[in-house]
Amino acid sequence: MIWNQAKECMSRDQLQELQGKRLVKIVEKVYHNVPYYRKKMQDIGLEPGDIRGLEDLEKLPFTTYEDLNAAYPFGLAAVPKSELVRVHASSGTTGKPKIAVYTRRDIDTWSECAARCLTMAGITRDDIIQVGYGYGLFTGGLGAHYGAEYLGALVLPMSTGNTKKLIDMMIDCKATAIACTPSYLLHVAEDLQKEGLIDKIQLKTAICGAEPWTDEMRAAMEERLHIKAFDIYGLTEVMGPGVAADCECHKGLHIWEDHFLPEILDPATLKPLPAGQTGELVITTLTKEGMPMLRYRTKDLTSLETSKCQCGRTMARIQRFKGRTDDMLIIRGVNVFPSQVEAALLTIDGTTPHYMINVDRVDNTDTLEVQVEVEEKFFSDEVAKLENLSKQIHDKLREALGLNAKVSLVQPNALVHSDGKTKHVNDKRKLYK
């Protein structure tokens, strides 16, 4: 199913022509309406007339988290406050949150993009969808909610924090879809299995996002819940969930290029990389009115595939994220991403998706410990089985990371099972002051 055939399947030539026109328009808008951007452009001797199309994109300055922090809270707004109808903010762990503001038209655009994503997952007006993302300043809850209502589905706005009630409503209301973080969905699956309720649900589809996850994690949730799981991508600064999502082919996340202009740049040189190479995803918003973003550095590492998808859509596909430029760990000279650890663990029978990476520096040497929750049965078996499982995990991590890690096996529920984004890294080295 395709929500907007004319847009989602337009030719690349048509798309690039549209992008060029919208880029010229948005540059002129921010130059004349956002003093912060105007100064950035004037500092490099750039005027709106210098941007005539996509070929001039590289001339534009970048936008970073530091810019959002410096302009906090409304310094990047491109319209008067009287035209703004919504504020969202990221749940940043340091400094000020990343603020985003929206006009009424922005909300409509967001709803359209989210509806496209949900339609790719097979959701229709006949579905009942539970929204298990947090509501409020976080974009997840309302983003999925508005998208589902836009396509006419019946929405159960569950939010997070009460898994028992969510399960009760899932069964009583016969929910057919759920939108939540992948780690929370596995937490829900654990509770359903524990209570013997798997056969009571009518769930068919899950739309998971807000944190990185792997194909192995997708397979685990699909097997446990007998559903189809789809990935959705978004970020507060650009819009929220609905920037991109995967279709039934699962060959990458279709990014809605009529609204979001993507680039893949070398994180070191900030120069464009050849097609297919992995680099930092940079996004320019082409239609956002309230707070347009010029070349926003997402810090997400990925590549783009621009060939036509088997589903019929022509929009570029963001390939599986390799990590982020700011959550990459360098341990004894080796680059390590949490997603590598997760993928390795999910290939080993007996482990759960819950783990914690502990990094420290002892006597000027980095240490790496991975705590892994394992199934209860291993703690009732002989010690030899635990030792064998520990060795399997050690060897698999060595293969995946190129590093020796201390493996600590812990009982189920020994680690924090979050209703929202799950923290997987505890870096005690204090490398930055």
Side-chain angles (χ1 to χ4, degrees), residues 24 33 62 68 100 127 164 176 194 242 246 267 288 291 309 319 329 368 375 382 386 421:
V24 169
N33 294 285
F62 293 102
L68 271 68
D127 280 291
K164 183 182 184 305
T176 56
K194 190 186 306 179
D246 65 346
K288 197 170 183 187
M291 200 175 87
C309 183
Q319 298 304 288
L329 295 166
L368 172 63
E375 295 175 0
E382 57 264 32
L386 273 176
K421 292 188 179 184

Side-chain angles (χ1 to χ4, degrees), residues 27 125 172 241 341 345 348 406:
V27 168
R125 62 186 300 108
D172 295 344
V341 174
L345 293 177
I348 302 173
K406 177 184 176 182

Side-chain angles (χ1 to χ4, degrees), residues 86 163 207 227 244 257 299 302 378 388 400 403 420 432:
R86 179 86 64 80
T163 302
I207 302 91
I227 61 170
E257 293 182 274
K299 298 187 181 294
T302 185
F378 283 89
N388 181 58
L403 288 171
Y432 306 101

Side-chain angles (χ1 to χ4, degrees), residues 275-311:
Q277 288 197 15
T278 297
E280 182 177 350
L281 175 63
V282 173
I283 296 176
T284 297
T285 60
L286 296 175
T287 58
K288 197 170 183 187
E289 295 180 334
M291 200 175 87
M293 289 279 104
L294 296 183
R295 305 189 82 193
Y296 182 71
R297 295 186 60 186
T298 70
K299 298 187 181 294
D300 288 315
L301 294 172
T302 185
S303 60
L304 287 179
E305 173 58 57
T306 57
S307 64
K308 184 177 180 179
C309 183
Q310 290 179 336
C311 72

